[in-house]
């Protein structure tokens, strides 16, 4: 088990726990993480999900020891399958589909806000996992590199979709082509993260921040996520229609009535009681 979970005050924290390898991912770990995210979205006690890493790394991407270096293809390309007989490009495609793609879609399509809390180096698929959150918070010690081109691969785990949307296409291409390592200041300036917290108190700051999100009206955030995620691939007309439909659903939520009541009673709203 290289994925830990803890639930505190509505915040489910999922921690990659292979610190000696900077949380480099085996395919089994990707599946464990995907499953933890899927279960987190279904867990009635979790209002917000946090993905982070143990030790000094967030995630160094695919475990390079778990894929072949001889040109013969992966040695254990299939999840739970270490047979070299399954090597080859088509198996790579299927394996990525079953592992990384499932993970990124679990983050994007699940109902709850997912915060990626980048405590240290994020490289390769780890960098794109860092980008995949609904909100991305970095430690001042975080580092980010689209490492793929250094081993003559292309960004996967959603990188070709996420990165251009985060920084625009030419900058995304440059980051992928040069694989330079960015620090937290550069990441914040470029829009790779929303906030940077001091490395000293990172876990505590992340928990406090996640609890603030958890205190917001859950269903409204779910609908906001759905509308904004869908909006990435819709026309303006389609987005407007979707907004109107989802707003009608938000109107029915007890949290909406609480928000209105709190406004007129000149007090803070307390969501999630209805
Ligand atoms: C690692 C790794 C690692 C194994 C550090 N693997 N051990 C690809 C192929 C197929 C299908 C699916 O998708 C993908 C997507 C990808 O993610 S490709 C990109 C994979 N990642 C990388 O290329 C990054 C490789 N790592 C690095 O460049 C450096 O380790 C970084 C910049 C992350 C950190 O550098 P340092 O802070 O100097 O640490 P380090 O290099 O000394 O690493 C510490 C240990 O972790 C070390 O092990 P050791 O036993 O020598 O102490 C590394 O070998 C190990 N490690 N990344 N990806």
């Amino acid at each position: 088990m290289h994925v830990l979970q803890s639930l505190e005050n509505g915040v489910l924290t999922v921690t990659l726990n292979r610190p000696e390898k900077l949380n480099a991912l085996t395919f089994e770990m990707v599946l464990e993480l995907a499953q933890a995210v899927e279960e987190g979205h279904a867990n009635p006690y979790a209002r917000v999900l946090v993905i982070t890493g143990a030790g000094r790394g967030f995630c160094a991407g695919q475990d390079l020891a778990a894929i072949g270096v001889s040109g013969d293809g992966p040695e254990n390309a299939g999840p739970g399958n270490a047979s070299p007989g399954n090597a080859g490009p088509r198996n790579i495609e299927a394996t990525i589909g079953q592992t990384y793609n499932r993970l990124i879609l679990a983050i994007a399509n699940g109902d709850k806000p997912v915060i990626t809390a980048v405590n240290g180096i994020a490289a390769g698929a780890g960098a794109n996992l860092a980008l995949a959150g609904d909100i991305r918070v970095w430690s001042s010690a975080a580092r980010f590199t689209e490492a793929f081109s250094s081993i003559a691969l292309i960004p996967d785990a959603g990188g070709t979709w996420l990165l251009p949307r985060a920084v625009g296409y030419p900058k995304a291409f440059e980051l992928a082509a040069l694989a330079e390592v960015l620090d937290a200041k550069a990441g914040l300036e470029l829009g790779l993260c929303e906030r940077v917290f001091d490395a000293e108190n990172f876990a505590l700051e992340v928990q406090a921040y996640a609890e603030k999100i958890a205190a917001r009206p859950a269903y409204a955030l779910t609908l906001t996520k759905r509308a904004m995620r869908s909006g990435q691939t819709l026309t303006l007309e389609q987005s407007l229609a979707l907004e109107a439909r989802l707003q009608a659903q938000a109107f029915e939520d007890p949290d909406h009535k609480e928000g209105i009541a709190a406004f007129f009673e000149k007090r803070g709203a307390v969501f999630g009681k209805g």
Side-chain angles (χ1 to χ4, degrees):
M1 286 288 282
H2 288 298
V3 174
L4 307 177
Q5 297 188 44
S6 70
L7 182 64
E8 193 184 341
N9 297 332
V11 177
L12 179 72
T13 300
V14 182
T15 304
L16 294 170
N17 187 34
R18 206 180 166 218
E20 71 286 359
K21 296 292 176 192
L22 304 178
N23 303 314
L25 296 164
T26 62
F27 292 115
E28 286 75 9
M29 275 173 77
V30 181
L31 283 179
E32 265 185 68
L33 182 58
Q35 193 177 341
V37 171
E38 288 162 2
E39 288 173 2
H41 284 304
N43 181 340
Y45 299 104
R47 290 171 68 88
V48 171
L49 276 50
V50 171
I51 299 174
T52 194
R56 74 178 177 91
F58 171 69
C59 174
Q62 170 66 35
D63 183 336
L64 296 176
I67 55 173
V69 290
S70 63
D72 295 339
E75 285 158 16
N76 67 343
N81 182 348
S83 164
N86 284 321
R90 293 184 62 184
N91 198 46
I92 289 285
E93 180 179 347
T95 301
I96 291 174
Q98 288 161 23
T99 56
Y100 287 98
N101 295 5
R102 176 175 158 193
L103 169 62
I104 299 302
L105 290 174
I107 294 169
N109 294 341
D111 276 346
K112 290 168 189 165
V114 178
I115 300 174
T116 43
V118 182
N119 52 297
I121 184 80
N128 294 331
L129 173 62
L131 285 180
D134 298 299
I135 302 174
R136 298 83 41 96
V137 299
W138 286 16
S139 152
S140 53
R143 300 286 180 273
F144 179 97
T145 173
E146 291 284 337
F148 305 87
S149 62
S150 297
I151 52 170
L153 293 180
I154 73 160
D156 59 14
T160 62
W161 195 91
L162 293 161
L163 196 60
R165 281 170 170 76
V167 301
Y169 165 68
K171 188 68 196 175
F173 187 83
E174 190 203 38
L175 290 172
L178 292 178
E180 287 173 346
V181 180
L182 304 181
D183 64 13
K185 185 168 175 286
L188 188 62
E189 280 167 8
L190 267 175
L192 298 176
C193 63
E194 283 56 67
R195 297 194 185 211
V196 174
F197 296 131
D198 194 51
E200 292 268 298
N201 305 311
F202 186 62
L204 286 174
E205 299 257 26
V206 169
Q207 178 67 25
Y209 180 78
E211 286 182 18
K212 276 209 290 198
I213 304 286
R216 305 298 296 162
Y219 190 52
L221 296 199
T222 293
L223 297 178
T224 302
K225 175 171 175 172
R226 256 182 231 166
M228 286 190 176
R229 289 273 186 184
S230 302
Q232 304 287 303
T233 53
L234 295 180
T235 64
L236 176 60
E237 283 78 1
Q238 290 167 329
S239 268
L240 287 166
L242 180 62
E243 280 174 10
R245 182 153 56 82
L246 298 184
Q247 193 70 293
Q249 295 175 21
F251 259 68
E252 301 301 315
D253 184 19
D255 279 344
H256 169 55
K257 292 169 188 61
E258 163 62 9
I260 298 282
F263 174 77
F264 285 114
E265 290 163 21
K266 300 190 188 302
R267 59 172 175 82
V270 182
F271 296 117
K273 304 286 178 206

PDB file of all heavy atoms in Angstrom, residues 15-24 29 51-61 117-123 126 129 139 141-143 202:
ATOM      1  N   THR A  15      -2.554  10.506   0.489  1.00  0.00           N
ATOM      2  CA  THR A  15      -1.121  10.810   0.454  1.00  0.00           C
ATOM      3  C   THR A  15      -0.348   9.715  -0.273  1.00  0.00           C
ATOM      4  O   THR A  15      -0.415   8.536   0.114  1.00  0.00           O
ATOM      5  CB  THR A  15      -0.571  10.935   1.906  1.00  0.00           C
ATOM      6  OG1 THR A  15      -1.340  11.935   2.594  1.00  0.00           O
ATOM      7  CG2 THR A  15       0.893  11.333   1.916  1.00  0.00           C
ATOM      8  N   LEU A  16       0.373  10.097  -1.311  1.00  0.00           N
ATOM      9  CA  LEU A  16       1.294   9.162  -1.965  1.00  0.00           C
ATOM     10  C   LEU A  16       2.425   8.887  -0.994  1.00  0.00           C
ATOM     11  O   LEU A  16       3.044   9.817  -0.469  1.00  0.00           O
ATOM     12  CB  LEU A  16       1.837   9.780  -3.257  1.00  0.00           C
ATOM     13  CG  LEU A  16       0.799  10.000  -4.348  1.00  0.00           C
ATOM     14  CD1 LEU A  16       1.381  10.843  -5.484  1.00  0.00           C
ATOM     15  CD2 LEU A  16       0.285   8.675  -4.873  1.00  0.00           C
ATOM     16  N   ASN A  17       2.697   7.619  -0.747  1.00  0.00           N
ATOM     17  CA  ASN A  17       3.630   7.295   0.337  1.00  0.00           C
ATOM     18  C   ASN A  17       4.733   6.354  -0.132  1.00  0.00           C
ATOM     19  O   ASN A  17       4.758   5.174   0.209  1.00  0.00           O
ATOM     20  CB  ASN A  17       2.851   6.689   1.507  1.00  0.00           C
ATOM     21  CG  ASN A  17       3.732   6.502   2.718  1.00  0.00           C
ATOM     22  OD1 ASN A  17       4.628   7.307   2.958  1.00  0.00           O
ATOM     23  ND2 ASN A  17       3.489   5.437   3.470  1.00  0.00           N
ATOM     24  N   ARG A  18       5.611   6.922  -0.923  1.00  0.00           N
ATOM     25  CA  ARG A  18       6.803   6.194  -1.342  1.00  0.00           C
ATOM     26  C   ARG A  18       7.957   7.213  -1.339  1.00  0.00           C
ATOM     27  O   ARG A  18       8.557   7.499  -2.377  1.00  0.00           O
ATOM     28  CB  ARG A  18       6.569   5.636  -2.746  1.00  0.00           C
ATOM     29  CG  ARG A  18       7.388   4.414  -3.045  1.00  0.00           C
ATOM     30  CD  ARG A  18       7.090   3.948  -4.456  1.00  0.00           C
ATOM     31  NE  ARG A  18       8.078   3.000  -4.883  1.00  0.00           N
ATOM     32  CZ  ARG A  18       8.567   2.946  -6.115  1.00  0.00           C
ATOM     33  NH1 ARG A  18       8.147   3.802  -7.056  1.00  0.00           N
ATOM     34  NH2 ARG A  18       9.479   2.061  -6.434  1.00  0.00           N
ATOM     35  N   PRO A  19       8.171   7.800  -0.172  1.00  0.00           N
ATOM     36  CA  PRO A  19       9.020   8.996  -0.106  1.00  0.00           C
ATOM     37  C   PRO A  19      10.444   8.772  -0.587  1.00  0.00           C
ATOM     38  O   PRO A  19      11.053   9.692  -1.151  1.00  0.00           O
ATOM     39  CB  PRO A  19       8.996   9.378   1.381  1.00  0.00           C
ATOM     40  CG  PRO A  19       8.467   8.189   2.105  1.00  0.00           C
ATOM     41  CD  PRO A  19       7.615   7.434   1.145  1.00  0.00           C
ATOM     42  N   GLU A  20      10.964   7.553  -0.413  1.00  0.00           N
ATOM     43  CA  GLU A  20      12.370   7.309  -0.801  1.00  0.00           C
ATOM     44  C   GLU A  20      12.561   7.392  -2.310  1.00  0.00           C
ATOM     45  O   GLU A  20      13.675   7.600  -2.786  1.00  0.00           O
ATOM     46  CB  GLU A  20      12.864   5.965  -0.233  1.00  0.00           C
ATOM     47  CG  GLU A  20      12.282   4.695  -0.859  1.00  0.00           C
ATOM     48  CD  GLU A  20      10.827   4.380  -0.481  1.00  0.00           C
ATOM     49  OE1 GLU A  20      10.220   5.132   0.304  1.00  0.00           O
ATOM     50  OE2 GLU A  20      10.298   3.366  -0.981  1.00  0.00           O
ATOM     51  N   LYS A  21      11.476   7.282  -3.070  1.00  0.00           N
ATOM     52  CA  LYS A  21      11.538   7.426  -4.534  1.00  0.00           C
ATOM     53  C   LYS A  21      10.762   8.669  -4.967  1.00  0.00           C
ATOM     54  O   LYS A  21      10.269   8.741  -6.101  1.00  0.00           O
ATOM     55  CB  LYS A  21      10.951   6.184  -5.224  1.00  0.00           C
ATOM     56  CG  LYS A  21      11.735   4.904  -4.954  1.00  0.00           C
ATOM     57  CD  LYS A  21      13.123   4.938  -5.598  1.00  0.00           C
ATOM     58  CE  LYS A  21      13.928   3.692  -5.247  1.00  0.00           C
ATOM     59  NZ  LYS A  21      15.362   3.831  -5.607  1.00  0.00           N
ATOM     60  N   LEU A  22      10.645   9.623  -4.073  1.00  0.00           N
ATOM     61  CA  LEU A  22       9.917  10.879  -4.359  1.00  0.00           C
ATOM     62  C   LEU A  22       8.508  10.581  -4.884  1.00  0.00           C
ATOM     63  O   LEU A  22       7.988  11.281  -5.745  1.00  0.00           O
ATOM     64  CB  LEU A  22      10.705  11.751  -5.352  1.00  0.00           C
ATOM     65  CG  LEU A  22      12.144  12.101  -4.924  1.00  0.00           C
ATOM     66  CD1 LEU A  22      12.846  12.915  -6.006  1.00  0.00           C
ATOM     67  CD2 LEU A  22      12.143  12.859  -3.607  1.00  0.00           C
ATOM     68  N   ASN A  23       7.931   9.489  -4.354  1.00  0.00           N
ATOM     69  CA  ASN A  23       6.566   9.080  -4.724  1.00  0.00           C
ATOM     70  C   ASN A  23       6.399   8.818  -6.217  1.00  0.00           C
ATOM     71  O   ASN A  23       5.321   9.083  -6.790  1.00  0.00           O
ATOM     72  CB  ASN A  23       5.539  10.107  -4.212  1.00  0.00           C
ATOM     73  CG  ASN A  23       5.642  10.293  -2.717  1.00  0.00           C
ATOM     74  OD1 ASN A  23       5.730   9.321  -1.977  1.00  0.00           O
ATOM     75  ND2 ASN A  23       5.698  11.536  -2.260  1.00  0.00           N
ATOM     76  N   ALA A  24       7.473   8.301  -6.835  1.00  0.00           N
ATOM     77  CA  ALA A  24       7.352   7.821  -8.215  1.00  0.00           C
ATOM     78  C   ALA A  24       6.272   6.741  -8.247  1.00  0.00           C
ATOM     79  O   ALA A  24       6.127   5.951  -7.324  1.00  0.00           O
ATOM     80  CB  ALA A  24       8.684   7.270  -8.700  1.00  0.00           C
ATOM     81  N   MET A  29       0.199   1.824  -8.038  1.00  0.00           N
ATOM     82  CA  MET A  29      -0.052   3.024  -7.220  1.00  0.00           C
ATOM     83  C   MET A  29      -1.051   3.950  -7.889  1.00  0.00           C
ATOM     84  O   MET A  29      -1.888   4.559  -7.217  1.00  0.00           O
ATOM     85  CB  MET A  29       1.252   3.806  -6.994  1.00  0.00           C
ATOM     86  CG  MET A  29       2.072   3.314  -5.837  1.00  0.00           C
ATOM     87  SD  MET A  29       3.672   4.171  -5.811  1.00  0.00           S
ATOM     88  CE  MET A  29       3.229   5.767  -5.130  1.00  0.00           C
ATOM     89  N   ILE A  51      -4.954  15.783  -2.442  1.00  0.00           N
ATOM     90  CA  ILE A  51      -3.937  14.813  -2.873  1.00  0.00           C
ATOM     91  C   ILE A  51      -2.574  15.435  -2.610  1.00  0.00           C
ATOM     92  O   ILE A  51      -2.289  16.557  -3.066  1.00  0.00           O
ATOM     93  CB  ILE A  51      -4.073  14.473  -4.373  1.00  0.00           C
ATOM     94  CG1 ILE A  51      -5.440  13.860  -4.658  1.00  0.00           C
ATOM     95  CG2 ILE A  51      -2.951  13.514  -4.811  1.00  0.00           C
ATOM     96  CD1 ILE A  51      -5.720  13.612  -6.146  1.00  0.00           C
ATOM     97  N   THR A  52      -1.727  14.722  -1.866  1.00  0.00           N
ATOM     98  CA  THR A  52      -0.411  15.250  -1.543  1.00  0.00           C
ATOM     99  C   THR A  52       0.607  14.111  -1.502  1.00  0.00           C
ATOM    100  O   THR A  52       0.275  12.965  -1.808  1.00  0.00           O
ATOM    101  CB  THR A  52      -0.476  16.044  -0.208  1.00  0.00           C
ATOM    102  OG1 THR A  52       0.700  16.821  -0.059  1.00  0.00           O
ATOM    103  CG2 THR A  52      -0.654  15.125   0.999  1.00  0.00           C
ATOM    104  N   GLY A  53       1.856  14.451  -1.167  1.00  0.00           N
ATOM    105  CA  GLY A  53       2.898  13.433  -1.144  1.00  0.00           C
ATOM    106  C   GLY A  53       3.614  13.408   0.200  1.00  0.00           C
ATOM    107  O   GLY A  53       3.741  14.441   0.865  1.00  0.00           O
ATOM    108  N   ALA A  54       4.104  12.238   0.590  1.00  0.00           N
ATOM    109  CA  ALA A  54       4.892  12.111   1.821  1.00  0.00           C
ATOM    110  C   ALA A  54       6.356  12.417   1.510  1.00  0.00           C
ATOM    111  O   ALA A  54       6.838  12.126   0.412  1.00  0.00           O
ATOM    112  CB  ALA A  54       4.749  10.690   2.374  1.00  0.00           C
ATOM    113  N   GLY A  55       7.035  13.017   2.487  1.00  0.00           N
ATOM    114  CA  GLY A  55       8.466  13.284   2.322  1.00  0.00           C
ATOM    115  C   GLY A  55       8.738  14.539   1.518  1.00  0.00           C
ATOM    116  O   GLY A  55       7.911  15.436   1.443  1.00  0.00           O
ATOM    117  N   ARG A  56       9.903  14.587   0.859  1.00  0.00           N
ATOM    118  CA  ARG A  56      10.298  15.829   0.187  1.00  0.00           C
ATOM    119  C   ARG A  56       9.783  15.941  -1.241  1.00  0.00           C
ATOM    120  O   ARG A  56       9.955  16.968  -1.887  1.00  0.00           O
ATOM    121  CB  ARG A  56      11.830  15.999   0.234  1.00  0.00           C
ATOM    122  CG  ARG A  56      12.616  15.101  -0.697  1.00  0.00           C
ATOM    123  CD  ARG A  56      14.111  15.394  -0.613  1.00  0.00           C
ATOM    124  NE  ARG A  56      14.869  14.481  -1.462  1.00  0.00           N
ATOM    125  CZ  ARG A  56      15.185  14.730  -2.728  1.00  0.00           C
ATOM    126  NH1 ARG A  56      14.833  15.861  -3.300  1.00  0.00           N
ATOM    127  NH2 ARG A  56      15.875  13.838  -3.431  1.00  0.00           N
ATOM    128  N   GLY A  57       9.148  14.884  -1.747  1.00  0.00           N
ATOM    129  CA  GLY A  57       8.611  14.944  -3.104  1.00  0.00           C
ATOM    130  C   GLY A  57       7.089  14.931  -3.102  1.00  0.00           C
ATOM    131  O   GLY A  57       6.472  14.353  -2.204  1.00  0.00           O
ATOM    132  N   PHE A  58       6.506  15.566  -4.118  1.00  0.00           N
ATOM    133  CA  PHE A  58       5.065  15.378  -4.351  1.00  0.00           C
ATOM    134  C   PHE A  58       4.897  14.089  -5.149  1.00  0.00           C
ATOM    135  O   PHE A  58       4.343  13.108  -4.666  1.00  0.00           O
ATOM    136  CB  PHE A  58       4.476  16.581  -5.108  1.00  0.00           C
ATOM    137  CG  PHE A  58       3.061  16.371  -5.571  1.00  0.00           C
ATOM    138  CD1 PHE A  58       2.012  16.308  -4.654  1.00  0.00           C
ATOM    139  CD2 PHE A  58       2.756  16.242  -6.927  1.00  0.00           C
ATOM    140  CE1 PHE A  58       0.692  16.117  -5.082  1.00  0.00           C
ATOM    141  CE2 PHE A  58       1.441  16.055  -7.361  1.00  0.00           C
ATOM    142  CZ  PHE A  58       0.405  15.991  -6.433  1.00  0.00           C
ATOM    143  N   CYS A  59       5.456  14.077  -6.348  1.00  0.00           N
ATOM    144  CA  CYS A  59       5.392  12.875  -7.173  1.00  0.00           C
ATOM    145  C   CYS A  59       6.353  13.030  -8.342  1.00  0.00           C
ATOM    146  O   CYS A  59       6.249  13.996  -9.111  1.00  0.00           O
ATOM    147  CB  CYS A  59       3.970  12.658  -7.685  1.00  0.00           C
ATOM    148  SG  CYS A  59       3.861  11.270  -8.847  1.00  0.00           S
ATOM    149  N   ALA A  60       7.294  12.073  -8.488  1.00  0.00           N
ATOM    150  CA  ALA A  60       8.314  12.136  -9.554  1.00  0.00           C
ATOM    151  C   ALA A  60       7.836  11.495 -10.846  1.00  0.00           C
ATOM    152  O   ALA A  60       8.633  11.204 -11.732  1.00  0.00           O
ATOM    153  CB  ALA A  60       9.604  11.484  -9.066  1.00  0.00           C
ATOM    154  N   GLY A  61       6.514  11.272 -10.949  1.00  0.00           N
ATOM    155  CA  GLY A  61       5.970  10.704 -12.187  1.00  0.00           C
ATOM    156  C   GLY A  61       6.111   9.192 -12.228  1.00  0.00           C
ATOM    157  O   GLY A  61       6.331   8.538 -11.204  1.00  0.00           O
ATOM    158  N   ALA A 117      -2.101  19.316  -3.403  1.00  0.00           N
ATOM    159  CA  ALA A 117      -1.236  20.031  -2.463  1.00  0.00           C
ATOM    160  C   ALA A 117       0.200  19.579  -2.721  1.00  0.00           C
ATOM    161  O   ALA A 117       0.625  18.509  -2.287  1.00  0.00           O
ATOM    162  CB  ALA A 117      -1.667  19.726  -1.031  1.00  0.00           C
ATOM    163  N   VAL A 118       0.919  20.427  -3.438  1.00  0.00           N
ATOM    164  CA  VAL A 118       2.216  20.029  -3.997  1.00  0.00           C
ATOM    165  C   VAL A 118       3.315  20.394  -3.000  1.00  0.00           C
ATOM    166  O   VAL A 118       3.732  21.549  -2.905  1.00  0.00           O
ATOM    167  CB  VAL A 118       2.421  20.701  -5.369  1.00  0.00           C
ATOM    168  CG1 VAL A 118       3.744  20.263  -5.987  1.00  0.00           C
ATOM    169  CG2 VAL A 118       1.254  20.362  -6.297  1.00  0.00           C
ATOM    170  N   ASN A 119       3.736  19.381  -2.248  1.00  0.00           N
ATOM    171  CA  ASN A 119       4.658  19.610  -1.138  1.00  0.00           C
ATOM    172  C   ASN A 119       6.116  19.671  -1.568  1.00  0.00           C
ATOM    173  O   ASN A 119       6.967  20.163  -0.827  1.00  0.00           O
ATOM    174  CB  ASN A 119       4.484  18.490  -0.104  1.00  0.00           C
ATOM    175  CG  ASN A 119       4.571  17.126  -0.748  1.00  0.00           C
ATOM    176  OD1 ASN A 119       3.733  16.788  -1.587  1.00  0.00           O
ATOM    177  ND2 ASN A 119       5.582  16.344  -0.402  1.00  0.00           N
ATOM    178  N   GLY A 120       6.421  19.156  -2.772  1.00  0.00           N
ATOM    179  CA  GLY A 120       7.824  19.109  -3.212  1.00  0.00           C
ATOM    180  C   GLY A 120       7.866  18.938  -4.718  1.00  0.00           C
ATOM    181  O   GLY A 120       6.940  19.355  -5.423  1.00  0.00           O
ATOM    182  N   ILE A 121       8.911  18.267  -5.211  1.00  0.00           N
ATOM    183  CA  ILE A 121       9.062  18.147  -6.671  1.00  0.00           C
ATOM    184  C   ILE A 121       7.870  17.410  -7.295  1.00  0.00           C
ATOM    185  O   ILE A 121       7.424  16.373  -6.794  1.00  0.00           O
ATOM    186  CB  ILE A 121      10.395  17.445  -7.043  1.00  0.00           C
ATOM    187  CG1 ILE A 121      10.618  17.398  -8.552  1.00  0.00           C
ATOM    188  CG2 ILE A 121      10.484  16.058  -6.437  1.00  0.00           C
ATOM    189  CD1 ILE A 121      11.140  18.643  -9.159  1.00  0.00           C
ATOM    190  N   ALA A 122       7.387  17.964  -8.390  1.00  0.00           N
ATOM    191  CA  ALA A 122       6.345  17.329  -9.202  1.00  0.00           C
ATOM    192  C   ALA A 122       6.937  17.196 -10.602  1.00  0.00           C
ATOM    193  O   ALA A 122       7.210  18.206 -11.256  1.00  0.00           O
ATOM    194  CB  ALA A 122       5.088  18.188  -9.222  1.00  0.00           C
ATOM    195  N   ALA A 123       7.145  15.963 -11.050  1.00  0.00           N
ATOM    196  CA  ALA A 123       7.823  15.751 -12.338  1.00  0.00           C
ATOM    197  C   ALA A 123       7.023  14.794 -13.208  1.00  0.00           C
ATOM    198  O   ALA A 123       6.398  13.849 -12.715  1.00  0.00           O
ATOM    199  CB  ALA A 123       9.228  15.176 -12.098  1.00  0.00           C
ATOM    200  N   GLY A 126       3.673  13.268 -12.515  1.00  0.00           N
ATOM    201  CA  GLY A 126       3.458  13.927 -11.220  1.00  0.00           C
ATOM    202  C   GLY A 126       3.158  15.406 -11.393  1.00  0.00           C
ATOM    203  O   GLY A 126       2.359  15.987 -10.645  1.00  0.00           O
ATOM    204  N   LEU A 129      -0.408  15.491 -12.637  1.00  0.00           N
ATOM    205  CA  LEU A 129      -1.297  15.231 -11.498  1.00  0.00           C
ATOM    206  C   LEU A 129      -1.448  16.516 -10.675  1.00  0.00           C
ATOM    207  O   LEU A 129      -2.553  16.866 -10.249  1.00  0.00           O
ATOM    208  CB  LEU A 129      -0.716  14.094 -10.640  1.00  0.00           C
ATOM    209  CG  LEU A 129      -1.419  13.801  -9.319  1.00  0.00           C
ATOM    210  CD1 LEU A 129      -2.870  13.359  -9.553  1.00  0.00           C
ATOM    211  CD2 LEU A 129      -0.657  12.719  -8.536  1.00  0.00           C
ATOM    212  N   SER A 139       3.651  24.218  -1.850  1.00  0.00           N
ATOM    213  CA  SER A 139       4.609  24.604  -0.811  1.00  0.00           C
ATOM    214  C   SER A 139       5.654  25.527  -1.436  1.00  0.00           C
ATOM    215  O   SER A 139       5.924  25.447  -2.643  1.00  0.00           O
ATOM    216  CB  SER A 139       5.282  23.335  -0.280  1.00  0.00           C
ATOM    217  OG  SER A 139       6.567  23.621   0.186  1.00  0.00           O
ATOM    218  N   ALA A 141       8.514  25.068  -1.162  1.00  0.00           N
ATOM    219  CA  ALA A 141       9.584  24.147  -1.600  1.00  0.00           C
ATOM    220  C   ALA A 141       9.189  23.346  -2.842  1.00  0.00           C
ATOM    221  O   ALA A 141       9.958  22.497  -3.308  1.00  0.00           O
ATOM    222  CB  ALA A 141       9.922  23.180  -0.465  1.00  0.00           C
ATOM    223  N   ALA A 142       8.015  23.610  -3.389  1.00  0.00           N
ATOM    224  CA  ALA A 142       7.555  22.835  -4.557  1.00  0.00           C
ATOM    225  C   ALA A 142       8.417  23.152  -5.781  1.00  0.00           C
ATOM    226  O   ALA A 142       8.933  24.267  -5.932  1.00  0.00           O
ATOM    227  CB  ALA A 142       6.090  23.145  -4.847  1.00  0.00           C
ATOM    228  N   ARG A 143       8.553  22.167  -6.630  1.00  0.00           N
ATOM    229  CA  ARG A 143       9.232  22.337  -7.914  1.00  0.00           C
ATOM    230  C   ARG A 143       8.393  21.608  -8.960  1.00  0.00           C
ATOM    231  O   ARG A 143       7.681  20.650  -8.627  1.00  0.00           O
ATOM    232  CB  ARG A 143      10.646  21.742  -7.893  1.00  0.00           C
ATOM    233  CG  ARG A 143      11.588  22.338  -6.855  1.00  0.00           C
ATOM    234  CD  ARG A 143      12.062  23.735  -7.237  1.00  0.00           C
ATOM    235  NE  ARG A 143      12.970  24.313  -6.252  1.00  0.00           N
ATOM    236  CZ  ARG A 143      12.581  25.004  -5.177  1.00  0.00           C
ATOM    237  NH1 ARG A 143      11.295  25.192  -4.936  1.00  0.00           N
ATOM    238  NH2 ARG A 143      13.471  25.505  -4.352  1.00  0.00           N
ATOM    239  N   PHE A 202       3.377  23.551   5.865  1.00  0.00           N
ATOM    240  CA  PHE A 202       2.559  23.286   4.676  1.00  0.00           C
ATOM    241  C   PHE A 202       1.326  22.426   4.984  1.00  0.00           C
ATOM    242  O   PHE A 202       0.203  22.800   4.635  1.00  0.00           O
ATOM    243  CB  PHE A 202       3.411  22.650   3.581  1.00  0.00           C
ATOM    244  CG  PHE A 202       2.667  22.481   2.284  1.00  0.00           C
ATOM    245  CD1 PHE A 202       2.185  23.583   1.600  1.00  0.00           C
ATOM    246  CD2 PHE A 202       2.442  21.223   1.749  1.00  0.00           C
ATOM    247  CE1 PHE A 202       1.492  23.447   0.398  1.00  0.00           C
ATOM    248  CE2 PHE A 202       1.754  21.073   0.556  1.00  0.00           C
ATOM    249  CZ  PHE A 202       1.278  22.187  -0.114  1.00  0.00           C
TER     250      PHE A 202
END
